[in-house]
Amino acid sequence: MTKSFGVIGLGRMGFRTVLAGRAAGLELTKILDSSDSPWGVSQEPKLASTMVNSLNAFLAEPPDIVSISTTADSHAELFRALAAAGVKAILVEKPVACSVDDGLEMARIAEEYGIKAVVNHNHRCWNVLQRIRAFDGTPQFGRMQSFIITQGAGGLGNLGTHYFDLANWMFSDTPQYVAAVGTTPEAPNPRGEQFKDVGGAVLVGYSEQRRLMLEIGDDIGVIGGYEIRFERGRVLMPFTSEPPKVYVRRPDAQDLPKHFYGAALDELPWEGFVPGDVVANTREVFFDLVKGRNDGGATLTEATAALEVMIAARKAIETRTGVVLPLGAADRRKIYSLA
């Protein structure tokens, strides 16, 4: 029997979620959006026939799966309402919430009510990153030590939490400390002037000297990319729309000391490259919800861990000091105006 799904919020991401749910073989039955003419309807006018005008109407006969595709300031409240209405499968957009405490409460509610909940940190679904992650710890590459991400046109909350989750997943770890310097947004947030989402340069330290270096800000207007460095190799991907370049020490240089920086590298071919696709990746997250697995998106606890890194970065910017993780109780309660 085909499962039904509904979407709360029909902006750009909500519309992509509609496309992804259909691609996963689900039946769209309801959409809730507070706007009289949401962006998604401008892209597909027939969606108007599935819209309801209140949360009560949406929950009167709730779909099997619900996607919360609104801004982060409403996620926790909507999650509580869906849980109370008996919804058992929920897809939450990132950032998961606006405070660590809210994210942890959502995880507690999900456990108490038996809800399968996945946060749409869908970078994990891209097979390119899955293949690179699999290099970690192999005899040829050694341990993954450094992950460098550059990104323009964004802030630490809306886009940055994607990358903090991605680094946690790539390293299979959560960080120990954060240092950061901030940038000032050049224009009001396109999702609403009430949202404050600064960018910055962030250094995130993990165990065994591993580190993430994220450089993100809307004072830079170019698309970003990745560099992943291993003990004996590196992967360069300045544009995620193009295949990565993979380099590894030649066999006769494998055992040379790591400080011998002149060791020769071979380039390995990358075959079967498929560019990242938000809709295709989100479809995989829907498959997780349908099949009760967790191969794609993040759990609520994992997404909250990524949010905690973002909040630590914001604190580091505000206080001009390094921040040790986990955060204290007051910082976990603090609410940020994230979209």
Side-chain angles (χ1 to χ4, degrees), residues 16-256:
R16 295 188 190 105
T17 302
V18 167
L19 300 179
R22 288 171 173 167
L26 304 174
E27 179 187 1
L28 178 67
T29 56
K30 285 186 181 181
I31 295 173
L32 171 62
D33 193 288
S34 59
S35 171
D36 292 333
S37 55
W39 187 85
V41 170
S42 71
Q43 303 303 297
E44 188 178 323
K46 67 180 182 181
L47 289 176
S49 65
T50 64
M51 294 189 65
V52 295
N53 58 11
S54 71
L55 183 60
N56 285 339
F58 186 89
L59 295 177
E61 294 184 23
D64 298 316
I65 298 172
V66 175
S67 169
I68 301 175
S69 297
T70 55
T71 50
D73 55 337
S74 60
H75 288 180
E77 181 180 357
L78 287 170
F79 194 90
R80 287 190 288 267
L82 294 176
V87 177
K88 296 301 183 184
I90 303 174
L91 171 61
V92 184
E93 264 310 315
K94 51 75 194 167
V96 61
C98 290
S99 74
V100 173
D101 273 3
D102 274 346
L104 294 175
E105 184 199 14
M106 290 164 69
R108 180 192 60 76
I109 290 171
E111 183 174 1
E112 178 182 345
Y113 283 79
I115 298 168
K116 174 63 177 175
V118 180
V119 181
N120 196 21
H121 283 301
N122 58 66
H123 285 59
R124 297 169 174 229
C125 299
W126 191 20
N127 70 338
V128 171
L129 293 172
Q130 292 171 352
R131 286 171 64 179
I132 295 170
R133 184 176 186 247
F135 295 156
D136 186 22
T138 60
Q140 188 177 28
F141 283 85
R143 187 171 59 230
M144 186 188 302
Q145 285 296 121
S146 171
F147 190 6
I148 302 169
I149 302 173
T150 58
Q151 174 67 53
L156 294 172
N158 190 265
L159 283 177
T161 48
H162 256 323
Y163 299 129
F164 295 134
D165 175 75
L166 180 59
N168 288 354
W169 176 73
M170 293 286 279
F171 288 132
S172 300
D173 198 3
T174 52
Q176 300 173 340
Y177 67 86
V178 179
V181 293
T183 63
T184 301
E186 293 189 345
N189 193 301
R191 294 170 180 83
E193 293 189 10
Q194 72 273 28
F195 298 118
K196 310 301 179 186
D197 191 10
V198 302
V202 186
L203 173 64
V204 184
Y206 293 79
S207 61
E208 299 180 296
Q209 302 183 102
R210 293 174 298 170
R211 59 267 181 193
L212 164 70
M213 288 171 277
L214 170 63
E215 215 285 343
I216 185 171
D218 70 358
D219 58 340
I220 298 169
V222 296
I223 194 168
Y226 305 127
E227 179 177 356
I228 301 101
R229 296 187 288 187
F230 299 80
E231 291 177 294
R232 292 182 292 278
R234 66 194 301 214
V235 179
L236 300 175
M237 190 163 40
F239 302 104
T240 55
S241 58
E242 299 176 4
K245 299 285 188 180
V246 182
Y247 303 91
V248 71
R249 279 188 175 189
R250 293 178 180 173
D252 58 357
Q254 281 281 318
D255 296 328
L256 290 175

